[in-house]
Amino acid sequence: MKRVFRNAAFALAAVAMAVTSCETDDVTKSDEKQIISFVFNSLQPPVAGVINQTAKTITATVPYGTNVTALAPVIEASPKATVAPATGVPQNFTTPLPYVVVAENGEVATYIVTIAMELPQPIELTSPITANITLKDLGLPIDYFFAGSTLFVQNNAVLTIEPGVTIQFTSTGDKGSLQINDGATIKAIGTAEKHIQ
């Protein structure tokens, strides 16, 4: 009987140790579930998102003209946590997107990522223009500017100016001008609604 009792006591002790071990494992699992950094390294220069840990939001402003339908952020999360969508996976950021962080212990945090685009800026033209170029309407009061009085088009280049484009010559004195040299071409047709200036 004593031998059976010893075996039973040993079995009970083993069960108690196993239960304690399981409880300890549950307690020691990390509950950290933060996004620590969110960076678009493919852009030059790279653009880092601004993270608000309280509101669980991430915002970033990318350069004008960036294709926001296929941006792949590089994400750093809390140790032992996972993020979905995963780091490096291209996403369409035309509307705010949720990113879900799951801690080691299963707790979840959701961040909302919003991407804005910088407003377009006037583009500086350089003279002479020696290759085909199209000046598009950027929707600005001044779309393009030239720091001089005469902008030359030469070397058989074709300068196309779309309706609505405004070019400012920043030199002092007389108004600026375009000079189309032999072999070069200009294509500029405005409309009643969109003048070329």
Side-chain angles (χ1 to χ4, degrees):
M1 291 294 293
K2 286 183 179 179
R3 187 172 184 181
V4 172
F5 178 77
R6 285 195 194 101
N7 289 341
F10 179 79
L12 288 172
V15 169
M17 288 176 63
V19 170
T20 302
S21 176
C22 289
E23 290 175 350
T24 303
D25 287 347
D26 289 339
V27 170
T28 57
K29 284 186 177 179
S30 174
D31 63 354
E32 292 295 319
K33 50 189 180 297
Q34 289 187 335
I35 290 179
I36 299 168
S37 70
F38 193 96
V39 183
F40 296 108
N41 284 331
S42 60
L43 301 178
Q44 294 301 321
V47 174
V50 177
I51 303 172
N52 184 322
Q53 298 293 0
T54 303
K56 294 292 185 286
T57 59
I58 300 173
T59 56
T61 301
V62 298
Y64 178 76
T66 299
N67 179 11
V68 298
T69 65
L71 286 176
V74 176
I75 305 165
E76 181 184 355
S78 300
K80 300 182 180 180
T82 59
V83 183
T87 183
V89 177
Q91 298 295 322
N92 184 345
F93 287 96
T94 53
T95 57
L97 288 181
Y99 273 75
V100 179
V101 186
V102 182
E104 184 187 28
N105 69 356
E107 293 183 16
V108 174
T110 301
Y111 288 74
I112 302 299
V113 180
T114 304
I115 304 302
M117 191 177 295
E118 292 176 348
L119 294 175
Q121 299 295 319
I123 297 173
E124 182 175 6
L125 300 174
T126 57
S127 183
I129 294 174
T130 58
N132 296 351
I133 184 173
T134 297
L135 304 185
K136 298 181 176 296
D137 181 8
L138 303 179
L140 300 172
I142 304 295
D143 299 300
Y144 302 86
F145 67 95
F146 174 63
S149 59
T150 304
L151 178 60
F152 294 93
V153 183
Q154 58 192 43
N155 197 33
N156 298 317
V158 178
L159 171 62
T160 303
I161 305 176
E162 295 188 345
V165 169
T166 299
I167 303 172
Q168 182 181 62
F169 291 81
T170 59
S171 63
T172 58
D174 296 336
K175 291 184 177 180
S177 63
L178 284 170
Q179 181 170 318
I180 313 301
N181 291 343
D182 290 344
T185 306
I186 183 171
K187 297 179 181 178
I189 301 175
T191 67
E193 295 77 24
K194 289 190 170 185
H195 298 247
I196 295 174
Q197 303 181 61

PDB file of all heavy atoms in Angstrom, residues 19-44:
ATOM      1  N   VAL A  19       0.629  21.884 -14.295  1.00  0.00           N
ATOM      2  CA  VAL A  19      -0.336  22.996 -14.242  1.00  0.00           C
ATOM      3  C   VAL A  19       0.379  24.298 -13.962  1.00  0.00           C
ATOM      4  O   VAL A  19       0.132  25.324 -14.584  1.00  0.00           O
ATOM      5  CB  VAL A  19      -1.422  22.716 -13.172  1.00  0.00           C
ATOM      6  CG1 VAL A  19      -2.266  23.959 -12.946  1.00  0.00           C
ATOM      7  CG2 VAL A  19      -2.284  21.546 -13.598  1.00  0.00           C
ATOM      8  N   THR A  20       1.312  24.264 -13.005  1.00  0.00           N
ATOM      9  CA  THR A  20       2.078  25.479 -12.675  1.00  0.00           C
ATOM     10  C   THR A  20       2.868  25.955 -13.876  1.00  0.00           C
ATOM     11  O   THR A  20       2.937  27.151 -14.171  1.00  0.00           O
ATOM     12  CB  THR A  20       3.036  25.199 -11.494  1.00  0.00           C
ATOM     13  OG1 THR A  20       2.267  24.757 -10.390  1.00  0.00           O
ATOM     14  CG2 THR A  20       3.811  26.458 -11.119  1.00  0.00           C
ATOM     15  N   SER A  21       3.451  24.995 -14.613  1.00  0.00           N
ATOM     16  CA  SER A  21       4.228  25.350 -15.798  1.00  0.00           C
ATOM     17  C   SER A  21       3.359  26.029 -16.843  1.00  0.00           C
ATOM     18  O   SER A  21       3.751  27.028 -17.441  1.00  0.00           O
ATOM     19  CB  SER A  21       4.877  24.099 -16.377  1.00  0.00           C
ATOM     20  OG  SER A  21       5.545  24.408 -17.568  1.00  0.00           O
ATOM     21  N   CYS A  22       2.128  25.481 -17.059  1.00  0.00           N
ATOM     22  CA  CYS A  22       1.214  26.085 -18.032  1.00  0.00           C
ATOM     23  C   CYS A  22       0.821  27.488 -17.619  1.00  0.00           C
ATOM     24  O   CYS A  22       0.770  28.408 -18.425  1.00  0.00           O
ATOM     25  CB  CYS A  22      -0.043  25.222 -18.191  1.00  0.00           C
ATOM     26  SG  CYS A  22       0.276  23.677 -19.064  1.00  0.00           S
ATOM     27  N   GLU A  23       0.533  27.656 -16.323  1.00  0.00           N
ATOM     28  CA  GLU A  23       0.146  28.985 -15.836  1.00  0.00           C
ATOM     29  C   GLU A  23       1.292  29.976 -16.028  1.00  0.00           C
ATOM     30  O   GLU A  23       1.090  31.123 -16.423  1.00  0.00           O
ATOM     31  CB  GLU A  23      -0.258  28.899 -14.364  1.00  0.00           C
ATOM     32  CG  GLU A  23      -1.586  28.170 -14.144  1.00  0.00           C
ATOM     33  CD  GLU A  23      -1.896  28.003 -12.671  1.00  0.00           C
ATOM     34  OE1 GLU A  23      -0.995  28.288 -11.852  1.00  0.00           O
ATOM     35  OE2 GLU A  23      -3.029  27.581 -12.345  1.00  0.00           O
ATOM     36  N   THR A  24       2.505  29.505 -15.750  1.00  0.00           N
ATOM     37  CA  THR A  24       3.674  30.378 -15.898  1.00  0.00           C
ATOM     38  C   THR A  24       3.865  30.775 -17.352  1.00  0.00           C
ATOM     39  O   THR A  24       4.139  31.928 -17.665  1.00  0.00           O
ATOM     40  CB  THR A  24       4.938  29.675 -15.376  1.00  0.00           C
ATOM     41  OG1 THR A  24       4.727  29.318 -14.028  1.00  0.00           O
ATOM     42  CG2 THR A  24       6.149  30.584 -15.483  1.00  0.00           C
ATOM     43  N   ASP A  25       3.663  29.812 -18.281  1.00  0.00           N
ATOM     44  CA  ASP A  25       3.804  30.113 -19.703  1.00  0.00           C
ATOM     45  C   ASP A  25       2.805  31.178 -20.134  1.00  0.00           C
ATOM     46  O   ASP A  25       3.125  32.099 -20.870  1.00  0.00           O
ATOM     47  CB  ASP A  25       3.596  28.844 -20.542  1.00  0.00           C
ATOM     48  CG  ASP A  25       4.788  27.899 -20.432  1.00  0.00           C
ATOM     49  OD1 ASP A  25       5.826  28.356 -19.930  1.00  0.00           O
ATOM     50  OD2 ASP A  25       4.655  26.733 -20.833  1.00  0.00           O
ATOM     51  N   ASP A  26       1.537  31.056 -19.669  1.00  0.00           N
ATOM     52  CA  ASP A  26       0.514  32.034 -20.026  1.00  0.00           C
ATOM     53  C   ASP A  26       0.860  33.415 -19.503  1.00  0.00           C
ATOM     54  O   ASP A  26       0.663  34.418 -20.157  1.00  0.00           O
ATOM     55  CB  ASP A  26      -0.854  31.593 -19.486  1.00  0.00           C
ATOM     56  CG  ASP A  26      -1.397  30.392 -20.256  1.00  0.00           C
ATOM     57  OD1 ASP A  26      -0.932  30.180 -21.389  1.00  0.00           O
ATOM     58  OD2 ASP A  26      -2.262  29.687 -19.717  1.00  0.00           O
ATOM     59  N   VAL A  27       1.379  33.466 -18.288  1.00  0.00           N
ATOM     60  CA  VAL A  27       1.697  34.751 -17.668  1.00  0.00           C
ATOM     61  C   VAL A  27       2.865  35.421 -18.373  1.00  0.00           C
ATOM     62  O   VAL A  27       2.887  36.636 -18.537  1.00  0.00           O
ATOM     63  CB  VAL A  27       2.019  34.553 -16.164  1.00  0.00           C
ATOM     64  CG1 VAL A  27       2.596  35.824 -15.562  1.00  0.00           C
ATOM     65  CG2 VAL A  27       0.771  34.125 -15.410  1.00  0.00           C
ATOM     66  N   THR A  28       3.839  34.635 -18.824  1.00  0.00           N
ATOM     67  CA  THR A  28       5.048  35.232 -19.391  1.00  0.00           C
ATOM     68  C   THR A  28       4.901  35.600 -20.866  1.00  0.00           C
ATOM     69  O   THR A  28       5.787  36.214 -21.422  1.00  0.00           O
ATOM     70  CB  THR A  28       6.244  34.275 -19.241  1.00  0.00           C
ATOM     71  OG1 THR A  28       5.927  33.035 -19.867  1.00  0.00           O
ATOM     72  CG2 THR A  28       6.573  34.049 -17.780  1.00  0.00           C
ATOM     73  N   LYS A  29       3.797  35.223 -21.533  1.00  0.00           N
ATOM     74  CA  LYS A  29       3.611  35.614 -22.925  1.00  0.00           C
ATOM     75  C   LYS A  29       3.426  37.126 -23.010  1.00  0.00           C
ATOM     76  O   LYS A  29       2.682  37.713 -22.233  1.00  0.00           O
ATOM     77  CB  LYS A  29       2.417  34.894 -23.538  1.00  0.00           C
ATOM     78  CG  LYS A  29       2.702  33.444 -23.872  1.00  0.00           C
ATOM     79  CD  LYS A  29       1.552  32.802 -24.598  1.00  0.00           C
ATOM     80  CE  LYS A  29       1.887  31.370 -24.984  1.00  0.00           C
ATOM     81  NZ  LYS A  29       0.753  30.719 -25.675  1.00  0.00           N
ATOM     82  N   SER A  30       4.103  37.729 -23.963  1.00  0.00           N
ATOM     83  CA  SER A  30       4.090  39.194 -24.096  1.00  0.00           C
ATOM     84  C   SER A  30       2.724  39.711 -24.537  1.00  0.00           C
ATOM     85  O   SER A  30       2.054  39.101 -25.373  1.00  0.00           O
ATOM     86  CB  SER A  30       5.147  39.626 -25.104  1.00  0.00           C
ATOM     87  OG  SER A  30       5.060  41.012 -25.358  1.00  0.00           O
ATOM     88  N   ASP A  31       2.326  40.849 -23.950  1.00  0.00           N
ATOM     89  CA  ASP A  31       1.094  41.516 -24.373  1.00  0.00           C
ATOM     90  C   ASP A  31       1.392  42.760 -25.203  1.00  0.00           C
ATOM     91  O   ASP A  31       0.500  43.546 -25.522  1.00  0.00           O
ATOM     92  CB  ASP A  31       0.225  41.884 -23.172  1.00  0.00           C
ATOM     93  CG  ASP A  31       0.913  42.893 -22.244  1.00  0.00           C
ATOM     94  OD1 ASP A  31       2.107  43.211 -22.472  1.00  0.00           O
ATOM     95  OD2 ASP A  31       0.266  43.366 -21.296  1.00  0.00           O
ATOM     96  N   GLU A  32       2.677  42.929 -25.608  1.00  0.00           N
ATOM     97  CA  GLU A  32       3.059  44.106 -26.396  1.00  0.00           C
ATOM     98  C   GLU A  32       2.500  43.991 -27.815  1.00  0.00           C
ATOM     99  O   GLU A  32       2.666  42.964 -28.469  1.00  0.00           O
ATOM    100  CB  GLU A  32       4.585  44.238 -26.454  1.00  0.00           C
ATOM    101  CG  GLU A  32       5.230  44.585 -25.122  1.00  0.00           C
ATOM    102  CD  GLU A  32       4.827  45.960 -24.643  1.00  0.00           C
ATOM    103  OE1 GLU A  32       4.767  46.875 -25.479  1.00  0.00           O
ATOM    104  OE2 GLU A  32       4.554  46.117 -23.434  1.00  0.00           O
ATOM    105  N   LYS A  33       1.852  45.057 -28.260  1.00  0.00           N
ATOM    106  CA  LYS A  33       1.173  45.020 -29.574  1.00  0.00           C
ATOM    107  C   LYS A  33       1.181  46.405 -30.206  1.00  0.00           C
ATOM    108  O   LYS A  33       0.141  46.966 -30.524  1.00  0.00           O
ATOM    109  CB  LYS A  33      -0.254  44.497 -29.408  1.00  0.00           C
ATOM    110  CG  LYS A  33      -1.051  45.189 -28.303  1.00  0.00           C
ATOM    111  CD  LYS A  33      -2.356  44.479 -28.054  1.00  0.00           C
ATOM    112  CE  LYS A  33      -3.146  45.173 -26.945  1.00  0.00           C
ATOM    113  NZ  LYS A  33      -2.429  45.130 -25.650  1.00  0.00           N
ATOM    114  N   GLN A  34       2.371  46.944 -30.382  1.00  0.00           N
ATOM    115  CA  GLN A  34       2.511  48.268 -30.981  1.00  0.00           C
ATOM    116  C   GLN A  34       3.212  48.184 -32.331  1.00  0.00           C
ATOM    117  O   GLN A  34       4.039  47.304 -32.562  1.00  0.00           O
ATOM    118  CB  GLN A  34       3.324  49.196 -30.076  1.00  0.00           C
ATOM    119  CG  GLN A  34       2.604  49.630 -28.822  1.00  0.00           C
ATOM    120  CD  GLN A  34       3.406  50.677 -28.066  1.00  0.00           C
ATOM    121  OE1 GLN A  34       4.629  50.764 -28.186  1.00  0.00           O
ATOM    122  NE2 GLN A  34       2.719  51.505 -27.293  1.00  0.00           N
ATOM    123  N   ILE A  35       2.857  49.125 -33.207  1.00  0.00           N
ATOM    124  CA  ILE A  35       3.674  49.376 -34.394  1.00  0.00           C
ATOM    125  C   ILE A  35       4.676  50.443 -33.984  1.00  0.00           C
ATOM    126  O   ILE A  35       4.300  51.541 -33.559  1.00  0.00           O
ATOM    127  CB  ILE A  35       2.816  49.840 -35.582  1.00  0.00           C
ATOM    128  CG1 ILE A  35       1.951  48.670 -36.093  1.00  0.00           C
ATOM    129  CG2 ILE A  35       3.705  50.359 -36.716  1.00  0.00           C
ATOM    130  CD1 ILE A  35       1.039  49.032 -37.249  1.00  0.00           C
ATOM    131  N   ILE A  36       5.944  50.105 -34.092  1.00  0.00           N
ATOM    132  CA  ILE A  36       7.011  50.994 -33.625  1.00  0.00           C
ATOM    133  C   ILE A  36       7.480  51.924 -34.734  1.00  0.00           C
ATOM    134  O   ILE A  36       7.782  53.099 -34.511  1.00  0.00           O
ATOM    135  CB  ILE A  36       8.184  50.167 -33.073  1.00  0.00           C
ATOM    136  CG1 ILE A  36       7.699  49.332 -31.876  1.00  0.00           C
ATOM    137  CG2 ILE A  36       9.350  51.058 -32.682  1.00  0.00           C
ATOM    138  CD1 ILE A  36       8.685  48.273 -31.436  1.00  0.00           C
ATOM    139  N   SER A  37       7.556  51.414 -35.962  1.00  0.00           N
ATOM    140  CA  SER A  37       7.911  52.275 -37.094  1.00  0.00           C
ATOM    141  C   SER A  37       7.200  51.777 -38.345  1.00  0.00           C
ATOM    142  O   SER A  37       6.897  50.591 -38.480  1.00  0.00           O
ATOM    143  CB  SER A  37       9.423  52.318 -37.317  1.00  0.00           C
ATOM    144  OG  SER A  37       9.884  51.072 -37.804  1.00  0.00           O
ATOM    145  N   PHE A  38       6.932  52.735 -39.251  1.00  0.00           N
ATOM    146  CA  PHE A  38       6.157  52.470 -40.476  1.00  0.00           C
ATOM    147  C   PHE A  38       6.752  53.368 -41.545  1.00  0.00           C
ATOM    148  O   PHE A  38       6.518  54.580 -41.563  1.00  0.00           O
ATOM    149  CB  PHE A  38       4.697  52.823 -40.201  1.00  0.00           C
ATOM    150  CG  PHE A  38       3.711  52.327 -41.224  1.00  0.00           C
ATOM    151  CD1 PHE A  38       3.028  51.139 -41.023  1.00  0.00           C
ATOM    152  CD2 PHE A  38       3.453  53.060 -42.366  1.00  0.00           C
ATOM    153  CE1 PHE A  38       2.094  50.688 -41.952  1.00  0.00           C
ATOM    154  CE2 PHE A  38       2.526  52.623 -43.302  1.00  0.00           C
ATOM    155  CZ  PHE A  38       1.843  51.436 -43.085  1.00  0.00           C
ATOM    156  N   VAL A  39       7.581  52.798 -42.435  1.00  0.00           N
ATOM    157  CA  VAL A  39       8.381  53.603 -43.354  1.00  0.00           C
ATOM    158  C   VAL A  39       8.216  53.114 -44.792  1.00  0.00           C
ATOM    159  O   VAL A  39       8.220  51.913 -45.054  1.00  0.00           O
ATOM    160  CB  VAL A  39       9.883  53.566 -42.976  1.00  0.00           C
ATOM    161  CG1 VAL A  39      10.692  54.473 -43.887  1.00  0.00           C
ATOM    162  CG2 VAL A  39      10.073  53.957 -41.518  1.00  0.00           C
ATOM    163  N   PHE A  40       8.082  54.078 -45.720  1.00  0.00           N
ATOM    164  CA  PHE A  40       8.081  53.758 -47.146  1.00  0.00           C
ATOM    165  C   PHE A  40       9.495  53.971 -47.669  1.00  0.00           C
ATOM    166  O   PHE A  40       9.858  55.064 -48.099  1.00  0.00           O
ATOM    167  CB  PHE A  40       7.079  54.634 -47.893  1.00  0.00           C
ATOM    168  CG  PHE A  40       5.654  54.395 -47.483  1.00  0.00           C
ATOM    169  CD1 PHE A  40       4.968  55.333 -46.736  1.00  0.00           C
ATOM    170  CD2 PHE A  40       4.995  53.230 -47.827  1.00  0.00           C
ATOM    171  CE1 PHE A  40       3.657  55.127 -46.352  1.00  0.00           C
ATOM    172  CE2 PHE A  40       3.682  53.003 -47.453  1.00  0.00           C
ATOM    173  CZ  PHE A  40       3.011  53.951 -46.710  1.00  0.00           C
ATOM    174  N   ASN A  41      10.305  52.919 -47.621  1.00  0.00           N
ATOM    175  CA  ASN A  41      11.703  53.025 -48.047  1.00  0.00           C
ATOM    176  C   ASN A  41      11.858  53.136 -49.552  1.00  0.00           C
ATOM    177  O   ASN A  41      12.913  53.553 -50.039  1.00  0.00           O
ATOM    178  CB  ASN A  41      12.494  51.811 -47.548  1.00  0.00           C
ATOM    179  CG  ASN A  41      12.808  51.904 -46.061  1.00  0.00           C
ATOM    180  OD1 ASN A  41      12.933  52.994 -45.523  1.00  0.00           O
ATOM    181  ND2 ASN A  41      12.913  50.761 -45.405  1.00  0.00           N
ATOM    182  N   SER A  42      10.822  52.763 -50.302  1.00  0.00           N
ATOM    183  CA  SER A  42      10.922  52.813 -51.761  1.00  0.00           C
ATOM    184  C   SER A  42      10.866  54.243 -52.294  1.00  0.00           C
ATOM    185  O   SER A  42      11.240  54.501 -53.436  1.00  0.00           O
ATOM    186  CB  SER A  42       9.799  51.987 -52.395  1.00  0.00           C
ATOM    187  OG  SER A  42       8.534  52.496 -52.010  1.00  0.00           O
ATOM    188  N   LEU A  43      10.396  55.179 -51.482  1.00  0.00           N
ATOM    189  CA  LEU A  43      10.341  56.581 -51.896  1.00  0.00           C
ATOM    190  C   LEU A  43      11.672  57.245 -51.597  1.00  0.00           C
ATOM    191  O   LEU A  43      12.367  56.893 -50.649  1.00  0.00           O
ATOM    192  CB  LEU A  43       9.211  57.311 -51.164  1.00  0.00           C
ATOM    193  CG  LEU A  43       7.805  56.731 -51.374  1.00  0.00           C
ATOM    194  CD1 LEU A  43       6.782  57.509 -50.564  1.00  0.00           C
ATOM    195  CD2 LEU A  43       7.432  56.741 -52.848  1.00  0.00           C
ATOM    196  N   GLN A  44      12.030  58.220 -52.403  1.00  0.00           N
ATOM    197  CA  GLN A  44      13.292  58.945 -52.206  1.00  0.00           C
ATOM    198  C   GLN A  44      13.025  60.424 -52.021  1.00  0.00           C
ATOM    199  O   GLN A  44      12.526  61.068 -52.929  1.00  0.00           O
ATOM    200  CB  GLN A  44      14.234  58.699 -53.385  1.00  0.00           C
ATOM    201  CG  GLN A  44      14.693  57.258 -53.488  1.00  0.00           C
ATOM    202  CD  GLN A  44      15.414  56.780 -52.252  1.00  0.00           C
ATOM    203  OE1 GLN A  44      16.196  57.522 -51.643  1.00  0.00           O
ATOM    204  NE2 GLN A  44      15.154  55.542 -51.854  1.00  0.00           N
TER     205      GLN A  44
END
